[in-house]
Amino acid sequence: MPGDPIDFAAIIEQDRTERQKLDWQGGFLQYLELVKQRPQLADLSHRRMYDMMIGPGVTELDLEADPRAKRVFGDESVKIHNFFADEFFGLERTLEKIVRYFHSAAMGGEEARQVLYLMGPVGSGKSSLVERLKRGLEDLEPLHVIDGCPLFEQPLHLIPRHLRKAFEDMLGVRIEGDLCPVCRWRLINEHDGKYENFPIKTVAFSKRARRGIGVVPPVDPNNQDTSVLIGSEDISKLDRYSEGDPRVLELNGAFNVGNRGMVEFIEVFKNETEYLHTMITATQEKFVPAPGRHGTIYVDTCIVAHSNEAEWQKFKADHTNEAILDRIVVVKVPYNLRLSEEVKIYRKFLDRSKFNPKIAPHTLEIASMFAILSRLEPSPKCDLMTKLKIYNGEEVLEKGRPKKLTVHELRDDAKREGLFGISTRFIMKGLDTALTRNNGTIHPINVREALIGMVKEADISEDTKKQYLEFLQDALHKVYLEMLEKDITKAFVYSFQGQAETLFHNYLDHAEAYVTKTKVKDPVTRDEMQPDEAFLKSIEEQIAIIGPAADGFRQEVIAYLWAATRRGEKIDYASYEPLKEAIEKKLMNSVRDISRIITKARTRDDEQRQKYDSMVENLMEQGYNEDSIDTILKYASNHLWKD
C-alpha cells in the first residue's frame, strides 16, 4: 500500500547476504574440484563474453508472419539477441557480426587473435555498444582468481607445464597461459614451490575498480607513456628491491587490469602508431611486455576498439600500418535507416529523461524522417522519401500498384549510406530544445521549428545546409500535412475503422463478382444484381486507376486476398496497401469540405460547434493533448484545404 513504511535496513541486509553468497575463498585443491564440476570456470575471455551475449536468449524473426520485416530483410534469416534487444534498434546485421566475431573467437578461430574494431559516424552507437559489453561483464558471476594477483589471473596457471596434459584430461578443460612475474616470485619465495597451497578467491568484474575491464582513452601524442597499457615500476621500491625483483612492478596498465575480460580503446587511431604496437603481441601472441627487465606477461583479453570513419581511412591509407591492419576485424556501425526503429531510439531516450513529455502523434516520426533522409544517398530509381519508405518495409505505390523496388536492390547501389548525415544526438538536442521551450509539450510543428533553427546555426557546408532545410521546410511539411489530414478525417468520420471496413467488403463483393463474371447477392433482400462498376470506379480513381487499368487492378486485389485467405491470414481493409490507400482517400474526400469549413471558421453555429467539439474529443482519443491541439488545428486551417 502507498505510504506503508519501508524497511530499508532489511533491504540492505538482504542484498549484503545475497552478495556474500557469491564470495568464495579456498585453496587450489578445492578450486580444482570446482573446475571438475564446472569446466566453464576455465573459459577464456572470448568464450565468456560470447556466452554472456547469447545467455539471455536468441530468437529468429518470423519473416512470414511480418510482411514489413519480410520486405526489409528478404529471405535472409534475422536473429534477435535479447542481450542487446532493449537498447539497440535497426542494428540487427551489425549485432550479428559482433556476435559472430565472439563466436568464432570462442571456438579458437583466427578472431581470437584479432582486435574487434567498431567503425562508424559520431552518435551511431559505437560507445553504447561497448558500454553494454562492459555492463554485461559486471553482471556476470564473480571470477575465481589467484588471491593477491594484480592480473586476477586464472588459478590453473599454477599447474606446471609438464603436468598440464594430465590435468587437462582429468578436468576436461584446456589450460592456456603462464603465471605473471609477481605470482611466480610468490610461488617460489612464499610457498616454496608448492602451488597446491596457493589461496584462491572470487572477484567481480568492475569498470570502476578496474577489475577485468580496462579502458584506454586517446593519449596526448607528445606524452604517450606505455605505462597506461602495461603498467610501470614503482621507483620508490628500488631502494629495497633490485631492479629485476617483480615486487617493484605496478601492473596496473589497461592490458593488466583487462586480463580475463576486455580492454576498450577509445578513438583508437588518434594515438600514434608506435603506441599501438603493444596490441600486436597482445592479440597474436597473447602477451605484453612487462615494465623494465621483467620479460613478458600473458594476457587473456578481448580488445575492442572504436573510432570514426575518417580516422580509419587515414590510418588504413598508411601502408606502414599493415601489421596492425592485419590483426583487425572491422565491423561497421552505421546510422539506422529504418523509420520504425529510429522512432524507438528517441522514445527510449525520452523515457529515460526527466521531462515526462507530452508528445503529439507523428512528432517522433517527423524528427526521425529528417534524420534518415539526411543519411540516404540519392538514387536514379526513386526519390529519397520513397527510398525511406521502402527501407522501412512499407509498400510504396506507383500508379496504384506496389513499386517493384527492393531494399537490397537500392542498398547495392549505395555504398556509404548510413555513414554520414544527422546523428541521433542532433535530433535529441532538437527534441530537448522544443521540450524546454514549450513546457514539456512537443508536436511536429515546434520540433520542426527547433530543428530548422539548429540547422541554420550548424557549422556545415552551405549545400548540405540547403538540402537539410529543404527536407524540413518542404518535404516533411507536405508529409505532415498528409498525416494531419488523415487524423482530422478520422476525427470527423464516426467509426472510421468501421466505415473503412464496410467500403472494403463492399468493394470485394463487387470486384469478385466482376472478375468471376457472376452477380452480387444483396445481404438483406437476397436479390441478385450486377456488380456496381460506378462504385468500384469511385474507389479506384482515388489512386489514379482508370480505364483499362481497372480490370487488372481488380484481378490483382482478388488474387492477393484469396492467397492471404489460404495462408490463414486475417483479412481487413488494410491487408492490401493499394486498396487501403484508395479507401482512406475516399473517406477523406467525403469529409474534406466540412473539415475545411469547421477548422477555418472563426465563428461557428451550434451545429458546427458540436461537430468541432466532437472532432477535438476524437483527436484526443487518437493521442493528441489539450496543450498542442489548438496549435495543430490552426496549422491545419492555414495549410490544408487552401481556397
Side-chain angles (χ1 to χ4, degrees):
M1 292 289 292
D4 286 352
I6 301 173
D7 191 345
F8 294 109
I11 295 172
I12 294 171
E13 188 59 35
Q14 181 182 356
D15 175 70
R16 182 175 292 119
T17 301
E18 292 297 323
R19 288 184 174 274
Q20 286 174 348
K21 289 179 182 178
L22 298 175
D23 291 339
W24 184 91
Q25 288 185 328
F28 182 63
L29 295 177
Q30 291 173 284
Y31 175 69
L32 291 177
E33 291 295 333
L34 288 179
V35 175
K36 189 173 181 181
Q37 297 168 22
R38 299 168 56 201
Q40 66 268 28
L41 294 179
D43 286 345
L44 298 178
S45 58
H46 286 96
R47 164 58 68 179
R48 184 176 298 106
M49 294 194 70
Y50 174 67
D51 289 345
M52 172 188 78
M53 283 182 267
I54 65 169
V58 181
T59 58
E60 192 159 320
L61 202 59
D62 188 351
L63 298 178
E64 298 305 321
D66 187 346
R68 175 169 286 195
K70 175 80 171 176
R71 287 191 285 268
V72 171
F73 297 107
D75 295 325
E76 299 176 5
S77 65
V78 183
K79 292 181 178 178
I80 304 298
H81 297 86
N82 295 340
F83 180 81
F84 298 105
D86 294 334
E87 297 187 43
F88 301 95
F89 306 100
L91 290 177
E92 292 86 359
R93 295 307 185 201
T94 295
L95 296 175
E96 282 185 12
K97 291 175 183 176
I98 291 173
V99 175
R100 189 211 59 77
Y101 161 85
F102 279 103
H103 188 193
S104 175
M107 301 301 291
E110 180 59 26
E111 276 84 348
R113 294 180 291 277
Q114 301 266 306
V115 174
L116 174 62
Y117 168 60
L118 306 179
M119 183 272 287
V122 295
S124 62
K126 303 182 298 296
S127 299
S128 297
L129 282 167
V130 179
E131 285 300 316
R132 180 67 188 98
L133 296 178
K134 290 189 284 190
R135 286 203 318 275
L137 282 174
E138 291 182 317
D139 291 338
L140 291 180
E141 65 177 31
L143 278 174
H144 289 76
V145 304
I146 297 175
D147 194 356
C149 177
L151 274 67
F152 320 108
E153 71 182 298
Q154 167 61 257
L156 295 178
H157 291 177
L158 290 164
I159 300 173
R161 288 196 169 272
H162 68 276
L163 286 178
R164 285 193 178 180
K165 180 65 172 66
F167 273 86
E168 286 177 344
D169 293 341
M170 288 185 287
L171 299 174
V173 301
R174 177 125 181 242
I175 303 171
E176 294 187 26
D178 296 299
L179 280 177
C180 73
V182 174
C183 288
R184 192 178 302 118
W185 185 93
R186 290 176 60 205
L187 173 63
I188 296 170
N189 294 278
E190 293 180 3
H191 297 282
D192 197 25
K194 296 180 179 179
Y195 49 89
E196 67 272 22
N197 293 337
F198 244 101
I200 310 299
K201 70 173 184 178
T202 54
V203 297
F205 285 99
S206 173
K207 172 186 172 183
R208 294 166 188 80
R210 304 187 78 223
R211 290 195 301 265
I213 301 173
V215 179
V216 184
V219 180
D220 180 359
N222 298 318
N223 187 29
Q224 292 197 340
D225 187 351
T226 56
S227 65
V228 173
L229 303 177
I230 62 172
S232 61
E233 291 181 304
D234 186 346
I235 57 175
S236 68
K237 294 180 180 179
L238 289 176
D239 60 343
R240 287 180 288 161
Y241 310 117
S242 67
E243 192 174 351
D245 194 316
R247 286 175 290 181
V248 304
L249 292 176
E250 290 287 336
L251 298 180
N252 54 8
F255 282 120
N256 308 138
V257 303
N259 186 46
R260 305 189 70 189
M262 65 173 284
V263 176
E264 174 193 13
F265 277 79
I266 302 172
E267 294 295 339
V268 59
F269 298 127
K270 290 188 184 298
N271 296 299
E272 292 294 323
T273 304
E274 292 74 14
Y275 186 71
L276 301 177
H277 282 169
T278 310
M279 290 171 59
I280 297 177
T281 55
T283 55
Q284 199 70 28
E285 309 299 335
K286 298 293 183 183
F287 69 78
V288 295
R293 303 176 181 178
H294 298 274
T296 59
I297 297 175
Y298 173 84
V299 289
D300 164 34
T301 189
C302 307
I303 303 176
V304 183
H306 53 91
S307 73
N308 59 46
E309 185 186 21
E311 297 286 348
W312 165 246
Q313 295 296 347
K314 179 181 176 182
F315 185 82
K316 190 172 67 168
D318 188 345
H319 72 277
T320 61
N321 296 329
E322 290 177 356
I324 297 176
L325 289 170
D326 192 47
R327 291 165 173 82
I328 290 177
V329 174
V330 182
V331 174
K332 292 181 181 179
V333 185
Y335 289 132
N336 164 62
L337 298 177
R338 280 165 42 218
L339 178 61
S340 61
E341 303 306 295
E342 192 76 7
V343 170
K344 291 177 185 176
I345 293 172
Y346 304 127
R347 174 65 67 182
K348 177 189 74 172
F349 286 134
L350 290 174
D351 286 346
R352 292 179 179 178
S353 74
K354 297 181 180 179
F355 280 114
N356 191 24
K358 298 175 184 176
I359 307 173
H362 315 303
T363 304
L364 301 185
E365 194 173 354
I366 290 295
S368 299
M369 282 184 174
F370 172 53
I372 293 174
L373 286 172
S374 73
R375 302 166 184 172
L376 299 179
E377 292 183 16
S379 170
K381 297 176 181 177
C382 64
D383 61 80
L384 290 183
M385 187 59 72
T386 299
K387 197 177 200 183
L388 179 150
K389 292 178 180 179
I390 292 173
Y391 279 9
N392 197 40
E394 298 177 33
E395 202 161 33
V396 179
L397 303 185
E398 186 176 56
K399 297 180 180 178
R401 289 178 169 79
K403 195 172 182 68
K404 302 299 182 183
L405 267 179
T406 67
V407 173
H408 292 285
E409 186 179 348
L410 290 171
R411 283 190 173 165
D412 284 345
D413 297 336
K415 303 304 180 186
R416 294 195 61 254
E417 232 165 32
L419 296 176
F420 59 87
I422 292 292
S423 72
T424 53
R425 294 192 189 109
F426 187 95
I427 300 297
M428 276 308 305
K429 284 187 279 189
L431 294 172
D432 291 349
T433 299
L435 283 164
T436 53
R437 285 178 180 170
N438 298 278
N439 298 318
T441 296
I442 53 173
H443 45 68
I445 301 163
N446 58 29
V447 167
R448 200 165 61 92
E449 289 173 353
L451 291 172
I452 288 171
M454 289 174 62
V455 168
K456 287 180 177 179
E457 295 176 3
D459 187 14
I460 53 179
S461 71
E462 288 303 314
D463 288 344
T464 301
K465 186 176 294 188
K466 180 181 177 182
Q467 183 189 42
Y468 288 176
L469 291 174
E470 286 176 356
F471 289 152
L472 289 164
Q473 295 172 328
D474 183 33
L476 293 178
H477 169 69
K478 293 175 181 175
V479 168
Y480 179 54
L481 288 179
E482 292 175 6
M483 294 174 172
L484 189 53
E485 184 174 16
K486 189 176 292 185
D487 285 351
I488 292 174
T489 299
K490 290 180 179 179
F492 270 112
V493 177
Y494 176 75
S495 182
F496 181 91
Q497 180 83 17
Q499 292 202 33
E501 291 293 347
T502 299
L503 281 176
F504 171 70
H505 288 292
N506 284 342
Y507 182 90
L508 284 192
D509 290 342
H510 289 269
E512 184 177 10
Y514 180 89
V515 169
T516 59
K517 295 182 169 48
T518 57
K519 294 185 177 181
V520 179
K521 186 174 289 187
D522 189 292
V524 179
T525 66
R526 313 304 293 172
D527 292 338
E528 292 187 339
M529 53 188 174
Q530 294 294 331
D532 188 346
E533 287 195 65
F535 167 70
L536 294 174
K537 289 177 181 177
S538 73
I539 300 290
E540 294 156 355
E541 67 186 10
Q542 305 296 327
I543 52 174
I545 300 293
I546 56 176
D551 284 7
F553 180 76
R554 294 166 194 172
Q555 290 171 359
E556 287 176 9
V557 170
I558 298 304
Y560 181 90
L561 295 174
W562 275 349
T565 303
R566 285 197 303 273
R567 293 193 298 268
E569 297 176 8
K570 181 182 177 183
I571 300 299
D572 58 26
Y573 94 93
S575 297
Y576 188 59
E577 185 65 31
L579 185 55
K580 169 181 174 286
E581 182 170 330
I583 288 171
E584 288 182 345
K585 286 186 175 181
K586 172 77 171 175
L587 287 171
M588 288 166 65
N589 286 333
S590 70
V591 298
R592 181 165 288 164
D593 287 341
I594 186 65
S595 301
R596 182 178 66 84
I597 291 169
I598 290 179
T599 56
K600 293 174 76 72
R602 295 185 179 180
T603 60
R604 302 180 179 91
D605 58 30
D606 289 343
E607 182 182 356
Q608 289 176 338
R609 166 60 62 184
Q610 187 176 357
K611 288 182 178 180
Y612 181 86
D613 291 344
S614 176
M615 175 193 67
V616 170
E617 184 178 340
N618 290 336
L619 284 172
M620 291 177 68
E621 289 178 1
Q622 292 182 40
Y624 288 90
N625 58 72
E626 291 185 54
D627 295 336
S628 61
I629 204 164
D630 188 56
T631 301
I632 288 169
L633 288 177
K634 285 179 181 176
Y635 185 82
S637 70
N638 291 331
H639 296 281
L640 281 173
W641 316 303
K642 290 185 178 180
D643 294 327

